[in-house]
Each structure stands twice: as C-alpha cells, then as structure tokens.
Amino acid sequence: MATAENSILGLIMPTDPRWTDLASVSLEEILTDHAFCEQKAATQCISLIQIYPDKPDLVNALAPIVTEEWGHFRMVWSEMKKRGFSLGRQRKDDYVNLLLQHSPKNLPAGEKLLHRLMICALIEARSCERFRLLSENLEEKALRDFYYKFMVSEAGHYRLFIDLAELYYPVQQVRDTWSLWLRIEEHVLHLLVPRGDRMH
Ligand SMILES: [Fe+2]
Ligand SMILES: [Fe+2]
C-alpha cells in the first residue's frame, strides 16, 4: 500500500515499518551509513559535471548541489563527533549496487544521461522517504528535527534531477523511464532484507 508521501515521490514500495525500529537501535551505524551516503551524493554530482561539461545548464544546476551535499556530510559528521562516534570504513552499498546491476544493458550513448539522472532521482526519493520516517520516529527530538531538514533538502534534489532530465529529453520519455526505474527499485527492495544499520 503506497502512502501519500510515497505517491508524491512516485515510489511503489513503502519502507518496511520495521526499518525505523531497527534504525533507532543502531544510531551509530545509521549515522555512519548516512555520512557515506552524503559523500557519495556529492561525488555523484561532481562526476556528472566531469562527464557532461558541454551541458552548462547541468553544470549550473549541480555545482551548488555538490556544496550542499558536502555540507550534509559535514552536518552528519559533526553530529557523530558530538556523540563520540567514529566514521569507520566505508561499507558495500547493496541498494545502489543492485540498482546498477539492474540497469538496462546496451543503452544508446544518448540515453545514458537520462538513466543516470533517474538513478540519482530515485536514490534522493528513497532517502527522502527514509529521512521522513526518522524525523517522525526517532526518540530524540534534536535528531527528529535534524532529519526533517534532510528530508526537505533531498525532496528538492529529487525534483531537480527529474527537471534536469526533462530539460534534455522529451517529457513522455522521462515519465516512461522513471516508471521503469520505479519498477526496478521495487524489485531491488524485495531482494534486500531491511537492515537497521543502513540508510537503504
Ligand atoms: Fe544530502
Ligand atoms: Fe541529495
């Protein structure tokens, strides 16, 4: 059953409610994983700018997002330091790896950007949904407020990636490709066991 929030974001599968229970018991793990997610979000935007320097609208849109995502990393890291947590090693990101494994094969060169933007939008949408759950369910009020800010910010990024796709591709093609990715993500979530030490 899709929630109102999910239908705004388009996500097919709501997060298993057990995830928030699990997440609250592994605060150090979830903050660590979140810190790495923010780093990856920043490097993903840098990488898009490096691959598509010939698209000034994309460069203009993503350059400030690099700064914003890096700012998110710094916010999470500072929250971790306050609690005496350490960053630890980066972990395997099963969610993103499975999404990439399920990418359509042999895409024409001209469609690669569209699929990359859709994957970015999807990760933002799912992160936004998880941040909402954390902002509603964590015990500590300061952390609920902390996650509310991330939810708002990642919702804006989800919209930005969809808008960028619509700038370079026909709206119907973007809608069809977005629907395809929503179905891929639904399948990927069925393959993953909800874990309280991961954002996804
Ligand atoms: Fe972020
Ligand atoms: Fe983001």
Side-chain angles (χ1 to χ4, degrees), residues 116-180:
R116 258 193 103 146
L117 292 171
M118 295 293 98
I119 296 176
C120 289
L122 195 52
I123 297 170
E124 296 285 0
R126 182 58 70 187
S127 303
C128 175
E129 189 234 18
R130 298 269 156 116
F131 292 149
R132 178 179 63 79
L133 290 170
L134 292 171
S135 76
E136 289 172 356
N137 294 293
L138 287 175
E139 262 171 39
E140 201 183 309
K141 180 167 185 325
L143 272 184
R144 291 202 301 274
D145 297 345
F146 179 77
Y147 275 111
Y148 184 85
K149 287 186 215 137
F150 283 98
M151 176 195 79
V152 172
S153 176
E154 310 308 358
H157 297 167
Y158 148 77
R159 194 58 251 172
L160 182 136
F161 284 115
I162 300 276
D163 289 347
L164 266 180
E166 289 181 355
L167 192 65
Y168 297 111
Y169 299 91
V171 172
Q172 195 54 49
Q173 188 182 5
V174 174
R175 285 200 187 140
D176 293 345
T177 312
W178 178 240
S179 300
L180 168 74

Side-chain angles (χ1 to χ4, degrees), residues 38 69 72 154:
E38 297 295 354
E69 299 290 22
H72 286 174
E154 310 308 358

Side-chain angles (χ1 to χ4, degrees), residues 23-180:
S24 60
V25 295
S26 321
L27 201 52
E28 178 164 11
E29 296 289 337
I30 204 86
L31 281 168
T32 301
D33 199 53
H34 181 186
F36 284 117
C37 287
E38 297 295 354
Q39 284 186 30
K40 281 179 264 178
T43 48
Q44 207 37 252
C45 290
I46 294 174
S47 149
L48 279 165
I49 291 170
Q50 288 173 326
I51 301 171
Y52 300 101
D54 56 331
K55 295 194 168 5
D57 290 324
L58 178 144
V59 177
N60 282 335
L62 294 183
I65 308 300
V66 173
T67 316
E68 207 179 308
E69 299 290 22
W70 196 250
H72 286 174
F73 164 71
R74 294 182 63 187
M75 281 164 69
V76 181
W77 174 225
S78 121
E79 201 56 43
M80 291 178 71
K81 282 190 290 186
K82 257 195 260 169
R83 291 159 196 275
F85 298 160
S86 59
L87 199 50
R89 294 166 69 89
Q90 178 146 206
R91 307 83 170 280
K92 224 167 60 159
D93 192 331
D94 292 329
Y95 173 74
V96 173
N97 289 339
L98 280 169
L99 284 176
L100 295 174
Q101 275 170 30
H102 286 80
S103 291
K105 305 288 176 268
N106 306 317
L107 282 172
E111 280 183 31
K112 285 192 173 150
L113 174 60
L114 174 58
H115 286 264
R116 258 193 103 146
L117 292 171
M118 295 293 98
I119 296 176
C120 289
L122 195 52
I123 297 170
E124 296 285 0
R126 182 58 70 187
S127 303
C128 175
E129 189 234 18
R130 298 269 156 116
F131 292 149
R132 178 179 63 79
L133 290 170
L134 292 171
S135 76
E136 289 172 356
N137 294 293
L138 287 175
E139 262 171 39
E140 201 183 309
K141 180 167 185 325
L143 272 184
R144 291 202 301 274
D145 297 345
F146 179 77
Y147 275 111
Y148 184 85
K149 287 186 215 137
F150 283 98
M151 176 195 79
V152 172
S153 176
E154 310 308 358
H157 297 167
Y158 148 77
R159 194 58 251 172
L160 182 136
F161 284 115
I162 300 276
D163 289 347
L164 266 180
E166 289 181 355
L167 192 65
Y168 297 111
Y169 299 91
V171 172
Q172 195 54 49
Q173 188 182 5
V174 174
R175 285 200 187 140
D176 293 345
T177 312
W178 178 240
S179 300
L180 168 74

